[in-house]
Amino acid sequence: MKQDTNLRADAQQTRRRLIEVGLEQFGRLGFGAASTRALATAAEANLGAIKYHFDGKEGLYLAVAEHIAEQMHTALSPMIEAVQTQLSSASPAGAISAETARATLRKIASGMVQLIAANPQTVLWMRFILREQAEPTQAFEIVYAKVMQPMHMLLSTLVAAITGDVPESDAAKLKAFALIGQIIFFRVAHAAVVRRMGWQTIGAAEAEEIEMALHLIIDGLPPTFAQRETR
């Protein structure tokens, strides 16, 4: 019994190591250039472990995508659920004031800065995701469905509450994408940001400055003409 337990624990550790190595090598080299032999060697596993745990390299690749999606979902879900509760309790249903939407959007932007720009771990996530943006595979569908779509829908709803756009209109969607893009820029253009700002890295103090800049942008989102007329 104890031997079986140890074997299962060893198998789980091997699976985790393969995912960690896959995250690094797939992000850095891409799916095609990352060889199964190199993946197994880096994970200190035998070559058959990839077939055993994932049914091959493609299965490992998709498991890495699931891992990224799960990590991001875990980090972002408290914010998503809090806003969804706020919207469901609003009267009429789904309607919140522009002021409440701005305050909520500022909190989410701060959380995303901490997760994406100030967290070194996300370097590996973003490498993988950016490759999938360039050449989408089934892995993109995993990350999109679990993280990208729900977060974007939430941001579109909040933006619409501020500007008066319809939440699922092109205008609201594009404004939400523009906001997300500004946050992601601080990760994908990390070298340019720290060089231009004279920073050594993006740590807690630097992240706070980024948050303040984003808050000003959010505060500057204009209401529609109809909203301005009613003030």
Side-chain angles (χ1 to χ4, degrees):
M1 181 70 70
K2 184 176 181 181
Q3 184 178 10
D4 290 344
T5 301
N6 290 338
L7 287 172
R8 284 196 296 271
D10 289 345
Q12 290 172 354
Q13 289 177 0
T14 298
R15 189 179 191 279
R16 282 196 296 270
R17 286 199 305 271
L18 283 166
I19 290 175
E20 291 169 359
V21 168
L23 176 59
E24 192 277 329
Q25 293 203 18
F26 288 136
R28 182 167 54 87
L29 302 173
F31 177 80
S35 72
T36 52
R37 186 173 299 278
L39 288 162
T41 299
E44 298 180 347
N46 62 60
L47 194 57
I50 295 176
K51 178 69 175 177
Y52 175 79
H53 288 287
F54 306 103
D55 199 28
K57 187 169 76 166
E58 183 176 355
L60 173 56
Y61 188 77
L62 296 179
V64 170
E66 289 278 7
H67 172 76
I68 294 171
E70 185 60 37
Q71 293 294 308
M72 295 186 74
H73 176 75
T74 299
L76 296 172
S77 60
M79 290 185 286
I80 295 174
E81 290 169 6
V83 177
Q84 288 173 337
T85 299
Q86 189 177 48
L87 291 170
S88 64
S89 62
S91 181
I96 58 174
S97 68
E99 291 75 14
T100 298
R102 284 187 202 276
T104 303
L105 202 51
R106 286 195 293 268
K107 289 180 183 178
I108 292 176
S110 293
M112 291 180 71
V113 167
Q114 292 296 330
L115 176 66
I116 295 172
N119 184 351
Q121 183 181 7
T122 59
V123 173
L124 299 178
W125 299 355
M126 293 308 299
R127 284 178 182 169
F128 187 97
I129 291 172
L130 287 173
R131 283 187 176 276
E132 281 297 314
Q133 293 290 324
E135 296 182 41
T137 68
Q138 188 180 343
F140 167 77
E141 299 300 332
I142 292 170
V143 179
Y144 179 80
K146 196 158 192 175
V147 180
M148 293 180 178
Q149 185 182 39
M151 177 54 74
H152 184 266
M153 290 178 69
L154 179 68
L155 293 178
S156 297
T157 299
L158 292 172
V159 166
I162 296 169
T163 63
D165 296 314
V166 175
E168 282 297 290
S169 67
D170 288 351
K173 290 177 183 177
L174 289 172
K175 289 168 188 173
F177 274 128
L179 180 60
I180 294 170
Q182 290 176 82
I183 296 170
I184 292 175
F185 177 85
F186 290 100
R187 171 50 63 198
V188 299
H190 179 274
V193 171
V194 296
R195 170 72 70 86
R196 186 73 179 97
M197 296 302 298
W199 296 339
Q200 294 299 311
T201 187
I202 297 179
E206 293 80 11
E208 187 174 347
E209 290 190 48
I210 294 170
E211 290 172 34
M212 291 173 63
L214 286 168
H215 291 177
L216 289 174
I217 292 170
I218 291 168
D219 290 345
L221 283 170
T224 61
F225 180 77
Q227 285 183 311
R228 291 197 297 268
E229 286 294 295
T230 60
R231 291 187 176 182

